[in-house]
Amino acid sequence: MYKYKLKGLDCPVCAKEIEEKLNELKYKIIIDYSKKSIISDEEIDIDLLNNKLKKIEPGVKVVTKEENENLFKIIKIVTSAILLISAFFLEDYIVLFYVFGSLAYLIAGYNVIIKALFNIRHGKIFDENFLMLIASLGAFFLGDLVEAGEVMVLYSLGEYLQDLAVSKSRQNIKGLLDLNLTNATAVINDTLVEKDYLDIVIGDTLLVKKGEKIAFDSILLSSSATLDTRLITGESLPVEKAQDELLVSGSINMDNPIYVKVVKEFKDSTIERLRAFIEDSNNYQSKKEKIISKFAAIYTPIVCFLAVLVAFFVPFIVSLITKDNYLDLVLTHDGFLYKALLFLVISCPCAIVLSVPLTYFSAIGTISRRGLLVKNGESIEEIAGANMIVLDKTGTLTEGIFVLKEVISYGLEKDFLVAIASSLEALSVHPISAAFKNLNFNLKVSDFKEVTGKGISGVIDGTKYYIGSKKMLKDLEILEPKERDEIYLVKEKEVIGVLIVRDKLRDNSKEFIKLLQKDKYKVVILSGDSKKVVQEVASELGISDYRYELLPEDKLNIIEEYREKGNKVLYVGDGINDLAAFVKADVGIAIGLQGIDATVEVADSVLVSNNILKVFETIKLSISAKQKITQNIIFAISFKFIFLALSLFNLLPMTFAVLSDVGVLLLCILNSLLLFINKPLKKK
């Protein structure tokens, strides 16, 4: 993926038009308005891009480094405002009045004029630049140069404040996963050497000093470490790590210097994967954004048509009724042409067009700060619209850290059963295998096989052993012991023992379920575990609807069944055995960093914290974002109708018309940015 920084991109509608035109090239291109950048799947020659941009949108170009556009904009606005005020006080001095007024108009409106003329020349007439140009020229034609200048000065001010708001939200996101890396301290032949972090490879040993960030996913070589993981998980409490444990990149060493061994290159590290997840989050239009974009495309021509009717047709009807002079009705200072110009200014769609993506961007930023990463605005929409929460059990509601609690033997030594079980489970990738891997038995296993949802098998000393559920017993045509519904250990065709394995509930799982039920969500557990195990967890959490002994394909069928009944399904799983379920559900949230390479591609969200309450926070924030979009649209349209009515009755001068448009835009932006100060739920 290649990214190119843009200069001079001032409106979301323009960004969408540029994207459409650039996609006529052979590349797949996305314009990210919030980050003012072009994103392409292939490298593109910058001169080619700039030549194409020059033909699409004058003033927009690719730059190789960040440029401070804000200072130039401030100087332009202040200079034109001073000139305009001077013109106002020099009205009795005709020459000076026109010199100062014209300079103010041209300085403030230069970009608007150039863009409007360029677009007219290329048949792209109806946009906000055209509206402002016609309104200001109309005021000039009617003899009010100061009002013409005010239109341009206030419009430039509105654009600047709009850009400032987007820039602020962009900086908030940018700082979330910023490591500020330069060098890493590598240990080479017992000597400390400063190396560029891009030159670090898998297997390198690094020294991480107190207060430094861990830039690579690593194994801890030192005896212990205390880490601050809030950059990744959003959790403020320190995390203790022991020797040989995995350290996630982005964590900060809070104690003595530690030595770590790199297990992933920087480009594949957790922090870099999450950064890419966040950066890509704003590159795809949600359904609402697509609707608003289409709305804007037909809205402006309709507004222009209505303005023509107001300017020329309405006074014609009035003149027939009142017998007043038609030209007087049209051309006087408060005549219908002036009303039509006010109509054009007030009808600018910027507030509606910008508030939707900015609201999603603010929501994504706020949620990311809490330790849950959302892929895009459409994911926010789907999360907000869910009415059923379907939960995996192991690793989602429970910690997924299993312990062997009891071994029941049918005639053989328990130590022998444990030795057989731990040797087989050492080769398994199922989460339950973790209960056996520290028991230090290592018998030689051959012909090992694992059947998802049923169990494992292997040959030890010439004898075939099986470990699995009653489904495995059924396949082997073995009668299930009636007193137990656990994990069975089978020798050839005989059950020789029962293994009782349990894991504990996550912190806050009970509170999470209570909050969901309080908000009237349908809550369901889908699990591959036995009826007894699932029933115990469901009972403890107060969940009445649960399914058990499910294979991955069973989960898919059940989710499809729920959706066919009209439910909007949000699936929450641990991201290891749930990839297909994520795809089948309307929206999916993956819990934890395990299997992140796969879940980033499939899930709509990834919870990098261990606090499951953050899933509920995400649901509430998504609903809040959806509500704010509705509020902004209703507010913008309502106020525009009010101002239009005032303008038709000569109760709104041009200055206030522009101020009202800018004011509505800024209030919509402010309402969207309020998501950034949403308070998190406290962990109990």
Side-chain angles (χ1 to χ4, degrees):
M1 184 178 290
Y2 297 86
K3 298 183 181 180
Y4 304 90
K5 207 71 190 167
L6 288 172
K7 176 185 177 182
L9 184 61
D10 293 322
C11 76
V13 177
C14 307
K16 207 63 212 164
E17 289 173 354
I18 292 172
E19 179 179 297
E20 290 171 2
K21 291 291 183 181
L22 286 181
N23 273 301
E24 293 174 2
L25 300 171
K26 62 179 181 178
Y27 310 100
K28 184 180 179 182
I29 288 171
I30 294 169
I31 300 291
D32 186 346
Y33 173 67
S34 66
K35 300 183 184 74
K36 305 294 177 69
S37 60
I38 294 174
I39 300 168
S40 171
D41 58 345
E42 296 179 49
E43 188 173 8
I44 310 175
D45 181 69
I46 291 178
D47 289 335
L48 172 65
L49 272 177
N50 279 330
N51 286 335
K52 188 73 174 174
L53 286 168
K54 192 175 179 180
K55 295 175 182 177
I56 303 169
E57 192 74 27
V60 178
K61 65 177 181 178
V62 175
V63 292
T64 54
K65 62 180 182 179
E66 292 273 3
E67 296 184 15
N68 189 355
E69 294 183 65
N70 286 340
L71 181 60
F72 173 74
K73 288 179 180 178
I74 292 170
I75 292 171
K76 182 182 79 170
I77 292 167
V78 171
T79 303
S80 56
I82 292 171
L83 288 169
L84 193 63
I85 293 168
S86 301
F88 178 78
F89 287 106
L90 293 170
E91 199 166 357
D92 293 335
Y93 303 90
I94 299 300
V95 175
L96 290 176
F97 171 75
Y98 275 98
V99 169
F100 279 73
S102 299
L103 282 173
Y105 178 82
L106 292 172
I107 291 171
Y110 172 78
N111 286 338
V112 174
I113 296 167
I114 294 298
K115 287 178 183 177
L117 293 176
F118 178 87
N119 290 340
I120 291 169
R121 180 184 165 196
H122 289 83
K124 196 171 57 178
I125 299 172
F126 301 109
D127 64 359
E128 66 275 14
N129 296 301
F130 177 77
L131 295 180
M132 291 303 153
L133 178 62
I134 296 300
S136 59
L137 288 179
F140 187 85
F141 173 74
L142 291 173
D144 203 331
L145 180 58
V146 173
E147 281 203 344
E150 283 174 351
V151 171
M152 289 304 185
V153 172
L154 292 172
Y155 181 71
S156 298
L157 177 63
E159 277 202 326
Y160 168 71
L161 293 174
Q162 161 191 310
D163 204 43
L164 202 62
V166 175
S167 178
K168 176 64 177 173
S169 62
R170 185 168 68 247
Q171 290 303 317
N172 283 335
I173 298 294
K174 190 178 179 182
L176 286 174
L177 299 176
D178 194 0
L179 289 180
N180 294 319
L181 296 175
T182 51
N183 294 324
T185 306
V187 181
I188 302 175
N189 298 325
D190 297 326
T191 304
L192 298 179
V193 178
E194 292 291 319
K195 292 180 67 175
D196 189 296
Y197 74 95
L198 293 174
D199 295 329
I200 300 296
V201 297
I202 295 172
D204 279 358
T205 298
L206 304 179
L207 172 67
V208 183
K209 299 171 187 174
K210 183 177 181 178
E212 288 185 344
K213 291 189 180 84
I214 299 169
F216 302 84
D217 290 352
S218 313
I219 296 295
L220 180 62
L221 300 178
S222 301
S223 59
S224 63
T226 303
L227 305 179
D228 177 353
T229 62
R230 76 182 69 191
L231 185 69
I232 300 296
T233 67
E235 295 293 335
S236 57
L237 294 176
V239 176
E240 301 295 331
K241 292 288 184 179
Q243 190 174 32
D244 295 330
E245 281 197 81
L246 177 67
L247 308 185
V248 176
S249 54
S251 304
I252 300 172
N253 180 25
M254 297 178 67
D255 209 337
N256 298 320
I258 57 173
Y259 291 94
V260 301
K261 182 179 180 181
V262 176
V263 295
K264 280 188 179 182
E265 292 182 14
F266 181 74
K267 65 182 177 65
D268 298 319
S269 65
T270 298
I271 190 76
E272 199 57 17
R273 295 279 299 178
L274 298 183
R275 189 206 301 277
F277 195 102
I278 286 179
E279 287 184 349
D280 291 343
S281 67
N282 209 47
N283 296 337
Y284 304 93
Q285 279 195 312
S286 67
K287 292 174 184 174
K288 267 199 176 69
E289 288 176 274
K290 290 172 183 174
I291 291 169
I292 291 295
S293 294
K294 290 178 181 177
F295 165 76
I298 61 171
Y299 171 81
T300 309
I302 291 172
V303 164
C304 291
F305 175 72
L306 292 175
V308 170
L309 291 182
V310 171
F312 302 109
F313 182 72
V314 174
F316 175 72
I317 300 298
V318 172
S319 68
L320 292 177
I321 297 169
T322 63
K323 307 301 181 182
D324 290 333
N325 184 277
Y326 174 73
L327 290 178
D328 288 342
L329 289 171
V330 174
L331 300 176
T332 54
H333 182 270
D334 292 327
F336 282 91
L337 179 58
Y338 186 78
K339 297 180 197 294
L341 300 178
L342 292 175
F343 191 94
L344 292 176
V345 171
I346 294 166
S347 301
C348 183
C350 292
I352 300 169
V353 173
L354 180 66
S355 65
V356 175
L358 186 57
T359 302
Y360 284 130
F361 194 58
S362 299
I364 289 167
T366 304
I367 292 167
S368 299
R369 285 174 166 227
R370 308 283 168 81
L372 198 151
L373 309 180
V374 181
K375 189 167 282 185
N376 51 48
E378 188 157 351
S379 301
I380 296 278
E381 279 184 16
E382 295 291 351
I383 291 170
N387 70 314
M388 174 177 276
I389 313 299
V390 177
L391 302 158
D392 175 47
K393 181 186 73 67
T394 304
T396 302
L397 294 170
T398 64
E399 290 185 350
I401 302 172
F402 291 90
V403 177
L404 181 61
K405 293 189 72 174
E406 188 181 350
V407 177
I408 297 172
S409 174
Y410 296 143
L412 299 174
E413 289 290 330
K414 289 185 179 180
D415 285 348
F416 174 74
L417 297 185
V418 171
I420 296 294
S422 61
S423 299
L424 287 169
E425 292 287 359
L427 303 176
S428 174
V429 296
H430 194 280
I432 285 179
S433 65
F436 300 88
K437 287 183 178 177
N438 293 324
L439 299 179
N440 297 321
F441 289 99
N442 193 20
L443 303 177
K444 186 176 180 181
V445 179
S446 61
D447 195 24
F448 177 82
K449 291 181 181 177
E450 184 158 7
V451 180
T452 302
K454 295 183 178 180
I456 58 176
S457 65
V459 176
I460 299 176
D461 291 334
T463 302
K464 187 72 171 278
Y465 292 93
Y466 302 85
I467 298 176
S469 64
K470 65 181 181 181
K471 289 183 179 179
M472 181 194 70
L473 296 187
K474 187 177 180 181
D475 287 352
L476 294 173
E477 298 179 347
I478 297 174
L479 186 63
E480 174 190 349
K482 293 181 180 179
E483 71 274 22
R484 290 289 176 185
D485 184 8
E486 303 287 351
I487 299 171
Y488 302 101
L489 178 57
V490 176
K491 178 182 178 181
E492 299 294 352
K493 291 283 187 176
E494 178 189 1
V495 177
I496 58 174
V498 177
L499 309 170
I500 300 176
V501 175
R502 293 288 185 270
D503 69 340
K504 70 171 188 173
L505 289 176
R506 281 185 184 272
D507 291 342
N508 299 108
S509 281
K510 288 183 181 178
E511 187 182 355
F512 172 59
I513 298 303
K514 284 180 181 177
L515 288 169
L516 290 175
Q517 291 173 337
K518 184 180 177 182
D519 280 5
K520 308 299 182 186
Y521 283 98
K522 302 173 188 175
V523 182
V524 182
I525 295 177
L526 299 185
S527 176
D529 279 346
S530 67
K531 178 180 180 180
K532 181 180 179 181
V533 172
V534 178
Q535 200 171 41
E536 285 176 4
V537 172
S539 177
E540 191 171 352
L541 292 173
I543 298 173
S544 58
D545 192 352
Y546 55 89
R547 309 285 184 95
Y548 48 86
E549 298 173 4
L550 300 175
L551 297 174
E553 54 265 34
D554 296 328
K555 289 186 179 183
L556 295 185
N557 293 333
I558 291 169
I559 290 171
E560 183 62 32
E561 176 189 322
Y562 288 146
R563 293 182 67 193
E564 285 176 355
K565 290 179 180 177
N567 294 297
K568 284 281 187 179
V569 177
L570 164 59
Y571 185 83
V572 185
D574 66 356
I576 298 173
N577 300 315
D578 301 300
L579 298 182
F582 287 137
V583 174
K584 180 61 70 175
D586 292 285
V587 62
I589 296 178
I591 302 285
L593 294 171
Q594 292 178 304
I596 192 170
D597 290 351
T599 57
V600 162
E601 300 301 326
V602 177
D604 299 277
S605 305
V606 177
L607 176 64
V608 294
S609 162
N610 288 320
N611 185 0
I612 198 169
L613 280 180
K614 294 185 182 294
V615 173
F616 185 75
E617 281 189 51
T618 299
I619 294 170
K620 300 301 284 185
L621 276 165
S622 298
I623 292 170
S624 183
K626 189 175 180 180
Q627 289 171 343
K628 286 192 178 298
I629 288 169
T630 304
Q631 290 165 8
N632 287 342
I633 292 171
I634 293 172
F635 172 76
I637 293 175
S638 299
F639 268 76
K640 283 183 182 295
F641 275 119
I642 291 169
F643 293 139
L644 285 171
L646 292 173
S647 68
L648 289 175
F649 292 100
N650 297 325
L651 298 174
L652 194 74
M654 182 72 75
T655 305
F656 286 99
V658 181
L659 282 173
S660 67
D661 179 61
V662 173
V664 168
L665 171 62
L666 293 180
L667 286 172
C668 288
I669 290 172
L670 180 62
N671 191 35
S672 300
L673 294 179
L674 286 175
L675 286 168
F676 273 118
I677 60 174
N678 186 283
K679 291 182 179 179
L681 288 171
K682 291 184 178 179
K683 192 173 182 178
K684 294 184 180 179

